[in-house]
Amino acid sequence: MKSVITGVGRYIPTVIKTNGDFALHRFYDENQLPIPLDPEAIARKFETITGIEERRYTTSDMNCSDMATSAAEDAIQDVNCDRETIDQIIVAHNFGDVVKHTIQTDMIPSIASRVKHNLGIKNPNCVAYDLIFGCPGWLQGLIQAHAFIQAGMAKKCLVIGAEALSRVLDQHDRDSMIFSDGAGATILELQDSNSGILSFSAQSHCEDEVTYLNLGKSNFPESDPRIRYVKMKGRKVYEYAIKNVPLAMKDCLDKAGVSITDVKKIFIHQANEKLDEAIVRELFKLYGVSNMPEHLMPMNIHKLGNSSVATIPTLLSMVKREEMNGYKITEGDIVLFASVGAGMNINAVCYRV
């Protein structure tokens, strides 16, 4: 009996923000000193490094819980399941609902409770709760759902990743250009099947790494220091990820008894194009393989940006529905999911389609 992904769904916001839109911004460094480059040059350099051409922001009338609900509805319709039979609703996010033009996060009631309410689920045995685990939150939710299913405590779980990062961005920080909004959802069920989760790996590094992503004051010199925004030590995150993520991915494959040459697709958190490519290259090096096969690592970061917990389930839905040219998954394929983010946290899941 396996934990099988039976339904996928997503919500992609409608507001497109291109790199050119940042040309009017004034950027400052972490010491609140002006960056001596034209904003257009900063945006061009940013695109070269990250691969991001544009990103999506949600409209002012929508919050994280609204996007999560839309993605959940999409996943439920994808598998055509009775929503009253869902045992758990797990929603991964990091900031809850943040009303446009405010700075206060709202997580009471939980985002998962709001989603259950919005879905109209009346069954009191459907337990709804949130998961805060940085960008790897959705994948950790999948691991938790798998554990509950294998323990006999659930048969069907709805796992959602949703984030509205545009509400917590410092427009004077060039790192803010990487982040975006969105939501992705999956339904994980107990089935007698050859498909399903084969293994997983998860780690938390909370020494010096704990501050690599946090909340801090704006880079703008005249800003109110009491108002805090999401902050990232980009170089530290890059070095940490290159060193640790490939090891966790290999650990996951080794637990499943799977070689890297058996993996057909790698769904990696859409953090940064160059970073993701470097992580996968390092993974192959651990196996003594120098060349990556083509069409191994689908990416949607170029148009959607980094929507944190939403990147992998959104990407999965696009590939499963054959909406990405050159990428598809078929029955029997071995795929590897992997993510890294605030904590610092890392996880990976090996899955047979």
Side-chain angles (χ1 to χ4, degrees), residues 7-12 74 78 183-186 267 300 310-324 329:
V8 296
R10 68 176 186 263
Y11 176 78
I12 296 175
D74 192 25
D78 184 51
T186 46
F267 292 88
N300 59 14
T311 65
I312 296 178
T314 299
L315 184 62
L316 176 62
S317 75
M318 295 177 73
V319 173
K320 186 179 177 185
R321 295 174 185 178
E322 298 186 17
E323 296 171 353
M324 297 189 68
I329 49 178

Side-chain angles (χ1 to χ4, degrees), residues 331-345:
E331 186 176 347
D333 282 356
I334 301 291
V335 301
L336 181 64
F337 301 99
S339 189
V340 58
M344 291 291 288
N345 298 315

Side-chain angles (χ1 to χ4, degrees), residues 73-297:
E73 287 280 12
D74 192 25
I76 289 170
Q77 291 175 18
D78 184 51
V79 71
N80 193 27
C81 78
D82 178 0
R83 64 191 66 199
E84 293 294 338
T85 64
I86 295 172
D87 298 306
Q88 293 191 2
I89 299 174
I90 306 171
V91 180
H93 64 90
N94 294 291
F95 297 99
D97 280 352
V98 183
V99 178
K100 183 76 169 178
H101 302 307
T102 69
I103 59 169
Q104 190 171 27
T105 61
D106 179 0
M107 289 187 272
I108 301 177
S110 71
I111 301 303
S113 294
R114 297 177 201 203
V115 170
K116 180 180 177 181
H117 172 81
N118 293 343
L119 293 175
I121 297 175
K122 297 179 173 56
N123 177 12
N125 295 318
C126 172
V127 179
Y129 63 95
D130 290 1
L131 178 64
I132 312 298
F133 199 68
C135 291
W138 171 81
L139 197 52
Q140 194 66 20
L142 199 71
I143 293 169
Q144 281 196 4
H146 168 64
F148 277 109
I149 288 172
Q150 294 301 308
M153 298 171 66
K155 292 183 178 179
K156 185 183 297 181
C157 300
L158 173 59
V159 185
I160 307 167
E163 198 72 91
L165 289 171
S166 63
R167 306 284 167 85
V168 292
L169 296 182
D170 175 11
Q171 64 176 350
H172 300 289
D173 183 347
R174 57 187 166 187
D175 285 341
S176 69
M177 290 189 287
I178 203 169
F179 297 116
S180 63
D181 304 342
T186 46
I187 293 177
L188 191 72
E189 295 189 58
L190 178 67
Q191 289 190 350
D192 185 2
S193 173
N194 289 325
S195 302
I197 292 176
L198 302 178
S199 64
F200 64 87
S201 181
Q203 295 181 343
S204 292
H205 296 84
C206 308
E207 297 181 80
D208 293 341
E209 305 91 348
V210 77
T211 60
Y212 289 176
L213 278 143
N214 58 20
L215 288 177
K217 64 183 179 180
S218 170
N219 289 11
F220 184 57
E222 299 173 25
S223 64
D224 185 340
R226 296 171 298 180
I227 301 175
R228 298 188 301 164
Y229 305 86
V230 63
K231 294 291 171 181
M232 177 174 66
K233 295 179 181 177
R235 173 50 58 180
K236 291 286 189 181
V237 169
Y238 190 97
E239 292 171 351
Y240 167 85
I242 290 292
K243 176 182 176 182
N244 294 288
V245 178
L247 295 173
M249 295 167 77
K250 185 177 187 299
D251 176 64
C252 183
L253 291 176
D254 290 347
K255 287 176 179 176
V258 170
S259 170
I260 188 62
T261 55
D262 296 324
V263 175
K264 300 301 182 185
K265 292 290 179 292
I266 295 178
F267 292 88
I268 193 167
H269 167 51
Q270 303 292 281
N272 172 321
E273 181 181 41
K274 295 291 189 293
L275 171 60
D276 290 352
E277 290 174 346
I279 287 172
V280 175
R281 280 198 304 270
E282 289 300 313
L283 173 62
F284 272 77
K285 286 180 183 178
L286 293 175
Y287 286 91
V289 181
S290 57
N291 295 319
M292 284 172 42
E294 292 184 1
H295 303 298
L296 175 72
M297 187 174 65

